[in-house]
Amino acid sequence: TTVFERNAQWDAATDEVRRPKVDRVEFTVVSSDDGIADALSSGRADLAVQGRMDSSLAQRVLDDPSFASASDNPGTGRTAMLAVPAYSSAALLDVDCRRAVYSAVDRLGVVSALAGDVTPVEFAAAPATSLSPATIPSFDWSYQPFAVGDGSGDLGAARASLERCGYGSGFGIRFAFAHTAVNVAIASSVSAALARVGITVESVPVDPVDYAVLTASPAAMRAARVDLALLVRSPAVSGTWGFWYPLVSGALVGPGPSTNVAHVRIPSVDILLRSSEITSTSPGIQENVGRMIDRLVLDTCSYIPLATVQTLLHRPANLTNITTNGALSNEYDLVQLGKLTPPPLPPVVSTGIRLN
């Protein structure tokens, strides 16, 4: 257990953001879902901070309306996507071949892979046809630049794109991803979906630690002959700029390490990234700039959105001032929480009979 206590030097008059209500927080790591459930039900813990979806919590939301009314299902700010490196196969260097991938992938299958044993799957993820996550102003679930059918893919649109790029019979690609159970399921869904239009996929699973190094290195990606890479991205810092700059800034294109995995360089996007409007204190202005960037990047299909990741949270009755914080992947903001303290019980006065 780690104990956090209020900073005695903190002065509310100098802090316009935080309004803490508690003086002490005890943070305990519990190794199992059963242990977490027991700690909550016994009162040893006030709140579970899991950072992932819990299938038992989802079931209780379905079964217990009163429990559901004190639960939240926000987007986490994480978007699952495919990156198409600028040095990928000859086919994917053509934008119409990349658009074929956009139309062919089965986003409903990706959502099921992300959900695992959570039902309904909508608690865990939602299909995405644009890149902005739910925690930044430019989020737009409705924008869809190319056909995707009911979410499982539009094979007619994909085949038409393949004809336009000169690969009507399809082509082969190497698809890299961090080797976790969820990512294996996502890769399996993507591979099966693309095979329907003749795009054959060779899977390249990589140890998660090594994968972070691989995707940051253009030289390593070239050496591994990666044509498609699975990413799950969220804002590096809160706000529109914090998501888009690391993902698509042309200033990050070069031989050195880079978070711009696709190595995309779009002059109009770089102008928007340098503008003062992208960090405006007005969410509406940030929304407009971010949506322009989203549309410009999607037009190139250098990044192809798959799904947005959701989380499921429960608000215990003894906690107050509960809000989610987009900078914390829309988990509850622990700094602002308050806790109800039960009033002391009145003194007990008893009358008894003494027997001699």
Side-chain angles (χ1 to χ4, degrees):
T1 296
T2 302
V3 176
F4 299 91
E5 294 185 335
R6 184 188 292 255
N7 181 358
Q9 304 302 313
W10 177 76
D11 181 0
T14 65
D15 191 336
E16 298 181 356
V17 177
R18 287 167 286 271
R19 295 291 182 268
K21 303 293 187 296
V22 298
D23 296 315
R24 175 185 173 93
V25 175
E26 295 181 5
F27 185 79
T28 301
V29 177
V30 181
S31 61
S32 70
D33 287 339
D34 288 342
I36 291 170
D38 180 65
L40 289 170
S41 62
S42 67
R44 297 196 312 275
D46 296 307
L47 184 68
V49 183
Q50 292 174 270
R52 60 180 176 76
M53 184 62 66
D54 180 350
S55 59
S56 63
L57 184 61
Q59 190 60 50
R60 190 170 176 190
V61 165
L62 290 176
D63 295 342
D64 184 346
S66 64
F67 187 86
S69 68
S71 300
D72 301 293
N73 187 212
T76 62
R78 297 194 294 275
T79 300
M81 66 184 75
L82 301 173
V84 186
Y87 37 80
S88 58
S89 67
L92 287 177
L93 292 179
D94 190 298
V95 67
D96 279 311
C97 281
R98 299 197 295 273
R99 289 173 181 171
V101 174
Y102 182 104
S103 290
V105 291
D106 177 5
R107 289 168 174 82
L108 302 182
V110 173
V111 166
S112 294
L114 285 165
D117 59 355
V118 172
T119 54
V121 296
E122 291 81 5
F123 279 162
T129 53
S130 58
L131 291 161
S132 294
T135 55
I136 65 174
S138 56
F139 174 65
D140 183 2
W141 65 268
S142 66
Y143 183 67
Q144 178 188 307
F146 311 107
V148 298
D150 63 355
S152 62
D154 187 319
L155 304 188
R159 291 189 179 106
S161 292
L162 288 173
E163 291 291 344
R164 285 195 296 273
C165 69
Y167 288 86
S169 300
F171 51 88
I173 57 173
R174 284 170 56 83
F175 179 24
F177 53 91
H179 194 188
T180 67
V182 170
N183 287 348
V184 168
I186 293 174
S188 177
S189 173
V190 170
S191 298
L194 296 182
R196 298 177 298 177
V197 294
I199 301 174
T200 58
V201 176
E202 179 185 352
S203 291
V204 185
V206 181
D207 177 83
V209 174
D210 294 335
Y211 188 71
V213 176
L214 171 69
T215 53
S217 169
M221 291 280 278
R222 283 195 187 93
R225 295 183 293 112
V226 174
D227 301 309
L228 209 60
L230 176 63
L231 305 177
V232 179
R233 286 294 179 86
S234 58
V237 295
S238 182
T240 302
W241 184 92
F243 177 75
W244 286 112
Y245 184 87
L247 188 68
V248 298
S249 172
L252 302 177
V253 174
S258 177
T259 53
N260 182 347
V261 177
H263 260 213
V264 60
R265 195 199 302 265
I266 305 171
S268 53
V269 167
D270 288 332
I271 291 171
L272 291 169
L273 288 173
R274 292 193 299 268
S275 71
S276 59
E277 286 82 3
I278 198 169
T279 54
S280 169
T281 55
S282 166
I285 294 175
Q286 281 200 36
E287 175 186 310
N288 291 337
V289 176
R291 288 188 176 184
M292 283 190 282
I293 293 173
D294 210 334
R295 284 151 175 73
L296 289 165
V297 175
L298 285 171
D299 192 53
T300 71
C301 274
S302 299
Y303 291 98
I304 298 172
L306 299 175
T308 56
V309 182
Q310 307 283 117
T311 190
L312 193 59
L313 309 170
H314 179 66
R315 294 172 265 115
N318 65 329
L319 298 184
T320 66
N321 299 82
I322 297 179
T323 60
T324 57
N325 188 329
L328 303 174
S329 298
N330 260 353
E331 293 283 341
Y332 289 142
D333 191 339
L334 302 183
V335 172
Q336 314 285 21
L337 287 178
K339 181 179 178 180
L340 293 174
T341 302
L345 295 173
V348 177
V349 178
S350 61
T351 302
I353 300 173
R354 178 179 293 176
L355 298 177
N356 295 321

